[in-house]
Amino acid sequence: MNRFLWLTTALAVTLGGATAAQEYQANEGQLDTLFPDNKPYSPYVDRDFPERPLWGDSHLHTALSVDAGGFGNRVGLRDAYRFARGEQITASSGQPVRLARPLDWLAITDHSDAMGMIQDILAAEPVITKYPQGAEWSRQMRAGGQDAVNAALDLIGTFSQGKIDPGLLANYSPGARRYGTIWEDVIQAAEEFNEPGRFTAFIGFEWTSLVAGNNLHRNVIFRDGADRARQVLPFTTQAPVGSTDPLDLYKYLEAYEATTKGATMAYAHNGNLSNGIMFPMDSQYTGRPLDAFYVEQRAKWEKMYEVTQIKGDGEAHPFLSPDDEFADYGTWDAGNLDLSEAKTKGMLSREYAREALKNGLVLEQKLGTNPYKFGMIGSTDSHTSLPAIEENNFFGKHSGYEPSAGRLTHPFMKTDKGEFRSWQQVSSGLAGVWAKDNSRESIFDAMDRKEVFGTTGPRMVVRFFGGYDFTQADLATREVAAVGYQKGVPMGSDLTAPADGQAPSFLVAALRDPIGANLDRIQIVKGWLDDNGKTHEKVYDVVWSDDRVADAEGKLPPVGNTVDVATATWTNTIGAPELVTVWQDPDFDRTHSAFYYPRVLEIPTPPWYLYDNLKYGTSLPEGAPTAQQERAYTSPIWYTPGA
């Protein structure tokens, strides 16, 4: 009836009077021709897919983390939440700081081992000073200056090598009263700032597995609130209550879900600092051979991988991808996490996301499950309590590298095995989540289905869909998501089996950050497994800006560079504000397992240290690039023969 009234009113206006409307006697058959399949005129009615990405940081440390506090972080949980929501606070260095734009969600993931211990070290509490290690660290940290830095480095190194006094550590481990009090405050702070519809605060922690300095860290978040999170304590790595073995972490996650009827997940980061043990192919670091149980458990609990952050970009490495001209971005390959062991080329194939995605196809064929079938996100791993990773607002990895005239004058870390330079800190990254609403449940569920993407900091919006029916005509609409969900599957999904003669096609679209740089190009990275069990990869330029033409070998000319080094500026006179295309795989073989994901590149922009040079009058560090091309990576779409 309402539809009829709307129609007659509209016709009355169109035809010039009520008489004309009365002469038109519409019946249900005529109305159905205007509304085929009973669909309303408005395309937004009953829409049930995510319409905008929710931006967040899944990996942030506050003063509670022993390393963060050791390096001078004095910003607590609640100020970290206030900052993420867009409020101005005071950083540990005494500087006022604020984000350009608030985040939609945040997961504070303080290290579960020795959580809160640093505060008692600084206060010289008897529970600390009765142990020789604790007494010396307390003395040095309270002295300040270089003594405090040395104490922090020694504390972190001692922990990474598993040599902290067991009695001292037991006071800051599950089962100790002090530890339970700290965990309760973590939960309570998240509850205070969780505001569904406006801001989501996840309850979580970081499980800090280090094997002789080799990084196996995982962050853990809960879908649930205080009622379930209070039923457990974080899992740690130190015996007798903890373990460095991921299989034991998976047991903890399983027990949490069985006990609380809630939901949880883990996600790894910094395979580039694992010295070849993050993505094993034959056996774990323990010597335990990979088997069906391992690959099934890893696939079940690790649905995402943090592919980019301050300690390096982990998508690809130029040694592994020599034909990829953009593979050498934010590369940290000097050694393991504490630089106690130098890197060798033989380690790299078990460290980087693209290689892991390829190796996952091999393990799936061998063991029946792909353990490396993960979505990709970015996050900061900031130890300042500040997810401040805009290039002109970069507050560093830890509080010792907050903005100052001297932060570029000394190495970030240096041992006799190697060096990470201060300028190599990557001002990265962010996680974009295609969730239906801003709540713990909706964001977690999007992560669980891998409908996520990561950027190195800019808020470029990326859509990616795969199917068999996309055509160039689909580009005529401004509603690419509606077409994508109707005709295909989104990022993080699996393609169905093709009909004879069909090859998959992909709808991909990217929109630049509204206050950021134009886009250079969209590439699709494909990896596959051939008939002989060998993996391959190829990077396709699928759409680009500025009417450039590829050469005879298919190589696209550079987009150009407008960066002014002296003023740390650039112009959007090159590139495009948006790029969208439908691309069909020209090399598809229906018998080969494969994955596909887009990499979206911005035009060149100034790195963070050029803003430092402008602010403080310092010089460009030796070897530091004067421009960079920030980027986004989405979760892949997989194809499996016979699926």
Side-chain angles (χ1 to χ4, degrees), residues 258-314:
T259 300
T260 70
K261 310 306 178 187
T264 184
M265 69 167 62
Y267 44 95
H269 62 89
N270 284 122
N272 60 330
L273 301 177
S274 74
N275 274 14
I277 67 172
M278 179 59 79
F279 299 110
M281 283 297 292
D282 301 309
S283 62
Q284 292 182 260
Y285 75 92
T286 60
R288 182 185 185 279
L290 296 196
D291 57 12
F293 179 75
Y294 176 89
V295 297
E296 289 166 4
Q297 288 292 296
R298 184 153 182 170
K300 177 180 179 179
W301 296 111
E302 299 195 35
K303 300 292 183 66
M304 302 191 302
Y305 180 66
E306 184 181 301
V307 74
T308 185
Q309 60 133 280
I310 292 174
K311 297 198 307 293
D313 192 271

Side-chain angles (χ1 to χ4, degrees), residues 129-168:
T129 57
K130 70 178 182 179
Y131 299 96
Q133 280 181 333
E136 181 59 18
W137 290 330
S138 181
R139 183 193 67 77
Q140 289 183 295
M141 287 189 181
R142 287 161 63 86
Q146 190 58 44
D147 283 348
V149 173
N150 292 340
L153 290 171
D154 185 59
L155 171 58
I156 295 165
T158 301
F159 172 79
S160 70
Q161 298 299 319
K163 296 179 180 179
I164 288 185
D165 188 304
L168 172 59

Side-chain angles (χ1 to χ4, degrees), residues 60-63 73 75-87 89 99 103 106 108 110 193 199 384-387:
L60 184 73
H61 294 268
T62 73
N73 185 354
V75 178
L77 296 162
R78 289 161 180 81
D79 274 348
Y81 284 124
R82 291 185 183 100
F83 181 75
R85 295 205 313 184
E87 296 180 37
I89 70 166
L99 286 175
L103 298 180
L106 177 66
I108 291 179
D110 281 309
F193 285 87
F199 182 83
T384 63
S385 305
L386 311 171

Side-chain angles (χ1 to χ4, degrees), residues 25-144:
Q25 298 299 318
N27 58 46
E28 285 300 315
Q30 290 169 314
L31 290 174
D32 286 341
T33 66
L34 297 177
F35 298 94
D37 302 323
N38 294 318
K39 291 182 179 179
Y41 178 83
S42 173
Y44 311 108
V45 172
D46 296 328
R47 177 170 284 186
D48 192 36
F49 59 78
E51 299 191 77
R52 71 177 184 92
L54 296 177
W55 296 103
D57 185 358
S58 66
H59 187 181
L60 184 73
H61 294 268
T62 73
L64 283 178
S65 287
V66 66
D67 52 352
F71 283 120
N73 185 354
R74 302 296 179 261
V75 178
L77 296 162
R78 289 161 180 81
D79 274 348
Y81 284 124
R82 291 185 183 100
F83 181 75
R85 295 205 313 184
E87 296 180 37
Q88 181 172 305
I89 70 166
T90 301
S92 297
S93 54
Q95 304 176 68
V97 59
R98 183 179 178 185
L99 286 175
R101 293 163 288 182
L103 298 180
D104 296 305
W105 59 271
L106 177 66
I108 291 179
T109 53
D110 281 309
H111 297 298
S112 59
D113 286 286
M115 189 185 292
M117 185 171 76
I118 196 69
Q119 283 75 23
D120 289 350
I121 289 176
L122 291 166
E125 295 288 348
V127 71
I128 294 290
T129 57
K130 70 178 182 179
Y131 299 96
Q133 280 181 333
E136 181 59 18
W137 290 330
S138 181
R139 183 193 67 77
Q140 289 183 295
M141 287 189 181
R142 287 161 63 86

